[in-house]
Amino acid sequence: MAKITLTATKTPELRLEAENISPDIFAGKSVAEIAQLHVFVGKESQKLGDYFEVAGESGSTAANTTIVINGDVSRVKYIGMKMTDGEVIINGDADMYVGAWMSGGKITANGSVDAFSGLGMTGGELTVKGNAGNYLGAAYRGDWRGMQGGIIRVSGNAGSDIGTFMRGGTIIIGGNVDVHVGTHMEGGTIIVKGDAKSRVGGQMVKGEIYVFGDIEVMMPGFQYRKDVDIEVDGTEGSFALYEGDIGERHGKKKGETIYGQLYMKY
Amino acid sequence: MAKIVTDVVCPFCGTLCDDLEVALDDSGEKILEVYNACAIGATKFLHSQAEDRLTRPRMKQEDGSWKDVTYDEAVEYTAKMLVDAKKPLMYGWSSTSCSAQSIGSELGEEVGACMDNTATVCHGSTLIAVQDVGVPSATLGEIANRADRVVFWGCNPAHAHPRHMSRYSIFPRGFFTGKGSKSRKMVVVDPRKTDTAKMADIHLQLEQGRDYELLSAIRIAIRGEKLPETVAGIPAKTIKEVADTLKSGRFSVIFFGMGVTHSLGKNHNIDIAIAVTRDLNDYTKAAIIPMRGHYNVTGSGQVWGWQFGYPFCLDLSRGFPRYNPGDSSSNDLLIRDEVDAVFTLGSDPGAHFPVGSVKKIAQLPSVCIDPHITPTSAVSKLHVPVAFVGVEVGGCAYRMDNVPIETRKVVEPPEGMLTDEEFLAKVLDRVKKIKGVA
Ligand code: SF4
């Protein structure tokens, strides 16, 4: 696989909008061409090369292109946005919208990512070794389609509003999460290995949420059904199954009402 | 004999009362008294007459003192600041007319600004919820004539919108509500025992920050499903009673304020309150209306809505409108060092933003357009006083229920003072000249 290395040379004064950092855009371009790609600071269009040292070689297609980012990109937005294939490795913290609307390929952030990462994602893998911000795998404002496919794995904690309007795919959080998990969820799976605060599965229609730790305040619309012994992401255990959100509309399948499912580990 | 100006519109809060009468002295230049208005509304009119009112722009000097400048110098500084900035923030827009807002939009587009209004710290979350799930609404006229179940959720109109209850929601005798407050049942949801709560038939004194859970519980009760013993500290029996009260009415309305829009969950609280309203429509007629604060914050959302497609938190820096509260919202922009100049018109972030944001305003090139001396004008580099909209110049404003009302000019502004609209037009003109596009 061909590898392009971006090394941050300068901290942007405001924030940098760099949606061009994607294997789809880099593929088939020379180092010089990549350095010429635009980045935005507010209304000013500047060059990627003004902020990064570009080295290595890109592949002929996105699929065989890997981008390695070194240095401080904690003020750089949109890394890997809309990527369809290939790989991005971020050796540090990144700003908002990492992997937003990605449909394929792999992003590994060895640090933390800020809000709106994996927004409306339809495929691929987003792995975060640090923490993730708010709205992870959620829908863009006004959109009714949050994450629809692919997998997001966060080793640390995540913020609030994860998986809002989620319709498919899997989000796995190693640590704790803030309020509002899977609000308006209509499919997919969210696994929280730590604790959750309140409002888990509020207005949920369909899909599954697993919480290994505690839920500070349970939504009134979840009703206990039964205990089950299952394996979740490699961990076997007994879970209490709740169904909800009872207050929300629910479809029917073979005469049976379908509810969202919330599993709490004993 | 004092001259009385009738049918004056109050440019203070989102209730936009349109029945004020203002008594002027013989010359017709001085306001003597304001009738029908509440205390805050009347004060606004009388304040425009203050002896020590600023009538010319002033620049802050190196040593912190102020120096008077001409309007032309103010226009020059503002235009240059906006053109030079990579990402200027243009904030406010709630206490001015729709036509001033419209010229402001043109200016914002020309300089690639981030534009935001006071909804960002009040009902912005409402706008997000409406975008997510829609909204069954009504006008205040319909409420006065029809509503027999009135809920005030996280708001205190007795103090914030003093004539709301007497003009529209509780006391008026409407066509189908002939007995006034006797034909209505009033429910207040508030963790505090406010003056509004004291008047209620039912006061749900819920645990702070548990609005989302309580609203969810009301939905469950409306559906007749099983509830936990208590939710948000309220017994299931009381929740059922409230659900039945709302279902049994001929027309239920939920009014809500910043107690729910900016407590835990923000837009989700409104989202689920809209869901409750929608559920109620299976049984009766129901509507939901935000208690908007500034008299024309609603108009600012309307103007931007039809000009850019989004009601607040606009980012025009890339030449097309983008919108994502949390990213393009004023406080996030300021705290995250994303903007490099601040322009304020028709509101007072200095008094309402977190101190971290206000410090940023103080550090950056900044202009404050406001007839009053405010905490914002105090931290800005340039302060431009202008005429009072709705007192010294007319203009369109939108009431909290989205009804546009033309405000009236009552007296002349002090000699030589510009209006918001005139000042913005001059800055726009100057910006175009600097950029060489006019
Ligand atoms: S209720 Fe609002 S609009 Fe009416 S007089 Fe008082 S401040 Fe003015």
Side-chain angles (χ1 to χ4, degrees), chain A residues 38-222:
Chain A
H38 74 242
V39 289
F40 274 91
V41 182
K43 60 189 166 198
E44 244 170 56
S45 174
Q46 301 180 358
K47 303 275 167 276
L48 195 65
D50 298 341
Y51 290 89
F52 294 95
E53 192 187 291
V54 189
E57 203 186 331
S58 67
S60 53
T61 61
N64 55 23
T65 300
T66 297
I67 304 172
V68 179
I69 307 172
N70 296 322
D72 179 14
V73 287
S74 60
R75 298 173 78 89
V76 180
K77 291 180 185 176
Y78 301 118
I79 293 174
M81 181 169 103
K82 293 189 180 167
M83 69 186 262
T84 65
D85 215 337
E87 194 176 349
V88 177
I89 299 163
I90 310 165
N91 289 318
D93 298 343
D95 202 3
M96 294 173 168
Y97 304 102
V98 173
W101 299 286
M102 78 187 278
S103 58
K106 228 169 113 177
I107 299 179
T108 308
N110 285 313
S112 297
V113 298
D114 211 324
F116 307 112
S117 292
L119 207 69
M121 162 175 179
T122 56
E125 273 172 62
L126 169 59
T127 306
V128 179
K129 295 286 161 65
N131 303 321
N134 303 335
Y135 292 96
L136 183 73
Y140 192 61
R141 300 278 179 210
D143 199 334
W144 63 95
R145 295 154 303 185
M147 183 179 184
Q148 295 148 67
I151 174 162
I152 299 177
R153 193 181 275 278
V154 177
S155 309
N157 303 325
S160 69
D161 294 281
I162 68 172
T164 306
F165 284 106
M166 184 170 178
R167 301 177 84 83
T170 306
I171 300 177
I172 303 164
I173 311 292
N176 306 327
V177 294
D178 208 330
V179 292
H180 283 288
V181 178
T183 311
H184 282 291
M185 192 168 171
E186 299 233 8
T189 305
I190 300 176
I191 301 166
V192 178
K193 304 234 169 127
D195 298 334
K197 291 194 176 152
S198 54
R199 300 156 181 218
V200 177
Q203 292 166 283
M204 180 182 190
V205 178
K206 230 163 68 179
E208 288 135 39
I209 301 177
Y210 299 85
V211 180
F212 286 30
D214 280 336
I215 295 181
E216 197 184 285
V217 179
M218 190 80 164
M219 282 300 293
F222 280 84

Side-chain angles (χ1 to χ4, degrees), chain A residues 15 17 19 40 43-44 75 77-78 95-97 114 140-141 161 180 184 199 202-203 217 221 247-248, chain B residues 82 85-86 111 209 212 219-220 223 264-265 268 271 317-318 322-327 336-338:
Chain A
R15 303 267 164 167
E17 296 181 7
E19 63 272 26
F40 274 91
K43 60 189 166 198
E44 244 170 56
R75 298 173 78 89
K77 291 180 185 176
Y78 301 118
D95 202 3
M96 294 173 168
Y97 304 102
D114 211 324
Y140 192 61
R141 300 278 179 210
D161 294 281
H180 283 288
H184 282 291
R199 300 156 181 218
Q203 292 166 283
V217 179
E248 188 57 56
Chain B
L82 292 173
K86 291 191 181 76
V111 299
Y212 188 79
R219 295 187 78 190
I220 296 161
R223 275 166 213 261
L264 184 72
H268 299 293
D271 177 333
S317 60
R318 297 275 289 266
R322 289 184 295 176
Y323 159 86
N324 194 13
D327 176 7
R336 284 164 43 86
D337 286 323
E338 290 215 47

Side-chain angles (χ1 to χ4, degrees), chain B residues 2 10 13 58 64 76 113 123 133 174 237 252 278 307 311 371 380:
Chain B
C10 173
C13 86
R58 46 186 202 145
E76 185 64 32
H123 277 284
V133 293
K237 197 172 138 276
S252 298
R278 192 179 56 205
Q307 291 189 333
S380 299

Side-chain angles (χ1 to χ4, degrees), chain B residues 48-238:
Chain B
S48 72
Q49 308 273 307
E51 293 292 330
D52 56 351
R53 179 172 165 192
L54 289 181
T55 54
R56 289 295 176 272
R58 46 186 202 145
M59 286 287 296
K60 199 176 270 166
Q61 304 299 296
E62 289 285 326
D63 65 355
S65 66
W66 293 94
K67 182 183 144 210
D68 279 358
V69 294
T70 63
Y71 272 112
D72 285 341
E73 286 171 298
V75 167
E76 185 64 32
Y77 176 88
T78 309
K80 215 167 156 320
M81 176 191 94
L82 292 173
V83 171
D84 288 348
K86 291 191 181 76
K87 201 170 183 177
L89 170 65
M90 296 179 76
Y91 175 79
W93 310 105
S94 300
S95 292
T96 193
S97 66
C98 290
S99 45
Q101 288 160 355
S102 178
I103 298 185
S105 310
E106 215 181 320
L107 179 58
E109 201 170 356
E110 198 60 57
V111 299
C114 282
M115 299 191 67
D116 203 0
N117 56 40
T118 50
T120 206
V121 286
C122 61
H123 277 284
S125 42
T126 306
L127 300 166
I128 295 172
V130 169
Q131 218 170 7
D132 279 340
V133 293
V135 64
S137 200
T139 64
L140 294 177
E142 284 176 88
I143 303 309
N145 283 308
R146 294 177 182 276
D148 58 350
R149 302 286 185 265
V150 181
V151 182
F152 288 111
W153 199 297
C155 58
N156 185 12
H159 290 275
H161 298 85
R163 298 185 67 214
H164 190 280
M165 287 188 282
S166 61
R167 270 174 65 87
Y168 305 113
S169 46
I170 300 294
F171 299 109
R173 296 165 190 269
F175 201 85
F176 300 102
T177 48
K179 294 201 184 107
S181 65
K182 288 200 186 70
S183 21
R184 295 185 170 93
K185 281 238 172 348
M186 177 176 171
V187 180
V188 172
V189 190
D190 203 308
R192 298 174 305 168
K193 201 161 180 64
T194 61
D195 284 339
T196 307
K198 286 177 197 151
M199 297 164 57
D201 295 295
I202 307 173
H203 175 204
L204 297 177
Q205 201 162 4
L206 80 171
E207 281 168 30
Q208 165 80 38
R210 293 278 162 252
D211 304 83
Y212 188 79
E213 285 84 355
L214 184 55
L215 284 155
S216 182
I218 291 178
R219 295 187 78 190
I220 296 161
I222 289 172
R223 275 166 213 261
E225 300 269 0
K226 199 171 151 284
L227 274 173
E229 257 167 56
T230 60
V231 178
I234 311 287
K237 197 172 138 276
T238 315

Side-chain angles (χ1 to χ4, degrees), chain B residues 10-17 20 36-38 40-41 160-164:
Chain B
C10 173
F12 190 83
C13 86
T15 314
L16 221 57
C17 299
L20 271 48
N36 298 346
C38 70
I40 40 181
H161 298 85
R163 298 185 67 214
H164 190 280

